[in-house]
Amino acid sequence: MSSQKYAPGMYFYGKVLEEGNSVAAGADEGSRLIRESAGKNGPAIYEIAEARLEGNRLDKDPEKGMDLMRDAARHGSRSAQQFLGQAYEKGAPTGADAEKSRHYFRICAKGGDSLCQFRLGKSLLEESGRSERDYVQAIAWLHVAANQGMAGAKELLSHEDAHLTPSQIADARKLMMQRAPPK
């Protein structure tokens, strides 16, 4: 697989070599394969970004690490999407930006990640001056996360459900049907 330059295969084989699972460990070769596969492979790009941010296996370069993290998110890495959502939410190492945070949480929430669904719902719920539309979306995302077992979502909903109007409930249910992860 890796000899044919198939990025996902190179990444997977690189991880196997790095971890030494069922093969002779070859961390250096594994790391090289992961870096080589990173061109269009979101999980591989995420690993390189993380290594750049932490200075682990590669020279520490936070700016390059963040550029790679955004690239990994664009290439479908849920870990990168979650990382960026949290980074923009907390303001480290990016500086706080609620809109960017919700952007990245929204991407991975739509992919079925319950933590991102919860964080997006919570962010929309806590937004000062939020619109009615954002409030209903917050309730819908929190319900989707709660249905996947996210305890924090259930707690927030227990405070909000009593305040919902019949119209908000109906709108939230419609959104929930659209946002529920595929079975």
Side-chain angles (χ1 to χ4, degrees), residues 101-170:
S101 172
R102 285 191 288 271
H103 167 76
Y104 288 108
F105 281 144
R106 188 171 281 112
I107 294 168
C108 68
K110 288 179 179 180
D113 186 285
S114 62
L115 179 62
C116 288
Q117 293 163 350
F118 168 68
R119 298 293 278 273
L120 175 59
K122 185 175 186 269
S123 177
L124 288 166
L125 188 64
E126 293 173 347
E127 180 68 22
S128 63
R130 69 174 181 257
S131 68
E132 174 75 10
R133 180 177 179 264
D134 285 345
Y135 181 67
V136 171
Q137 283 189 25
I139 298 301
W141 280 119
L142 289 170
H143 272 286
V144 171
N147 290 341
Q148 293 192 72
M150 185 60 65
K154 292 175 185 178
E155 286 180 35
L156 284 177
L157 287 168
S158 70
H159 299 295
E160 293 300 320
D161 279 345
H163 306 292
L164 294 171
T165 67
S167 173
Q168 290 170 327
I169 292 170

Side-chain angles (χ1 to χ4, degrees), residues 18-54:
E18 257 191 349
E19 295 169 7
N21 294 336
S22 304
V23 296
D28 291 340
E29 177 65 6
S31 183
R32 184 192 67 74
L33 285 171
I34 290 169
R35 283 193 310 274
E36 196 173 321
S37 73
K40 293 182 180 138
N41 182 289
I45 299 168
Y46 171 77
E47 291 230 4
I48 303 303
E50 196 174 47
R52 286 281 184 210
L53 288 168
E54 297 171 4

Side-chain angles (χ1 to χ4, degrees), residues 2-90:
S2 65
S3 65
Q4 297 174 4
K5 304 290 185 195
Y6 178 64
M10 290 169 62
Y11 170 72
F12 177 73
Y13 187 59
K15 289 299 293 174
V16 168
L17 286 174
E18 257 191 349
E19 295 169 7
N21 294 336
S22 304
V23 296
D28 291 340
E29 177 65 6
S31 183
R32 184 192 67 74
L33 285 171
I34 290 169
R35 283 193 310 274
E36 196 173 321
S37 73
K40 293 182 180 138
N41 182 289
I45 299 168
Y46 171 77
E47 291 230 4
I48 303 303
E50 196 174 47
R52 286 281 184 210
L53 288 168
E54 297 171 4
N56 181 13
R57 295 178 294 170
L58 295 172
D59 292 338
K60 188 171 186 168
D61 185 343
E63 187 176 323
K64 178 70 172 165
M66 288 305 294
D67 287 344
L68 287 166
M69 196 63 75
R70 286 185 281 275
D71 196 31
R74 279 190 296 277
H75 281 91
S77 168
R78 281 202 192 144
S79 296
Q81 294 159 358
Q82 192 177 90
F83 176 91
L84 289 166
Q86 291 175 354
Y88 284 113
E89 179 183 65
K90 294 183 183 339

